[in-house]
């Protein structure tokens, strides 16, 4: 690919300094410019009780290592649902931030099984193909 940029583009590139970008122009609300990760306290507030442009959800509960239950029971109580009878207003929430995973993974161990032995001649290679 060959070509050149027009003069006005070359002049614009020459004026660029730094990588911070233009200043923010968000004028929706003061909380629109809240930190991306959010404070730890933001995740402690119930999801349905949050009212800002950004909602914070807790981390999903990691699965257990053993199955001990013999019957299914709900983890949380059911909630009352209200069916909309008219059009609802446009939601004001812009995004949901989810807490990052904090659980630790078990330490890995080297695989201690010896490697399979290699066939010595062509007949052994042929017979190994059919061995189950």
């Amino acid at each position: 690919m060959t070509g050149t940029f027009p003069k006005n583009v070359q002049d614009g590139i020459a004026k660029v300094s730094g990588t911070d970008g233009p200043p923010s122009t968000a004028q929706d609300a003061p909380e629109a410019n809240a930190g991306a990760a959010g404070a730890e306290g933001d995740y402690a507030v119930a999801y349905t009780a949050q009212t800002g442009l950004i909602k914070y959800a807790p981390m999903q509960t990691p699965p257990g290592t053993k199955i001990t239950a013999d019957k299914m029971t709900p983890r949380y109580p059911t909630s009352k649902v209200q069916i909309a009878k008219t059009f609802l207003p446009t939601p004001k929430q812009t995004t949901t931030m989810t807490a990052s995973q904090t659980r630790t993974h078990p330490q890995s161990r080297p695989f201690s099984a010896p490697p399979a032995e290699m066939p010595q001649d062509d007949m052994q290679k042929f017979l190994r193909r059919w061995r189950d």
Side-chain angles (χ1 to χ4, degrees):
M1 219 168 115
T2 60
T4 59
F5 287 114
K7 178 77 171 128
N8 62 342
V9 173
Q10 291 177 353
D11 292 341
I13 292 172
K15 293 178 185 177
V16 172
S17 63
T19 58
D20 291 340
S24 175
T25 59
Q27 299 175 2
D28 294 334
E31 62 259 1
N33 293 325
E40 287 295 326
D42 293 336
Y43 295 105
V45 178
Y47 190 82
T48 54
Q50 297 177 25
T51 59
L53 294 177
I54 299 173
K55 288 193 173 187
Y56 298 92
M59 178 185 76
Q60 180 180 359
T61 310
T65 56
K66 297 179 182 174
I67 299 174
T68 58
D70 55 358
K71 62 179 180 171
M72 298 290 288
T73 57
R75 183 176 294 226
Y76 301 106
T78 57
S79 59
K80 182 178 178 183
V81 176
Q82 295 178 350
I83 305 299
K85 308 248 190 251
T86 61
F87 288 104
L88 298 174
T90 305
K92 296 191 182 349
Q93 174 188 352
T94 58
T95 189
T96 298
M97 302 296 294
T98 305
S100 60
Q101 192 171 22
T102 57
R103 78 180 187 118
T104 58
H105 297 283
Q107 292 183 351
S108 61
R109 295 177 288 165
F111 186 63
S112 59
E117 60 185 55
M118 295 298 294
Q120 301 298 326
D121 60 12
D122 291 337
M123 183 53 106
Q124 285 182 337
K125 289 180 185 177
F126 177 76
L127 292 174
R128 287 265 172 118
R129 291 177 62 189
W130 307 109
R131 193 171 113 190
D132 285 358

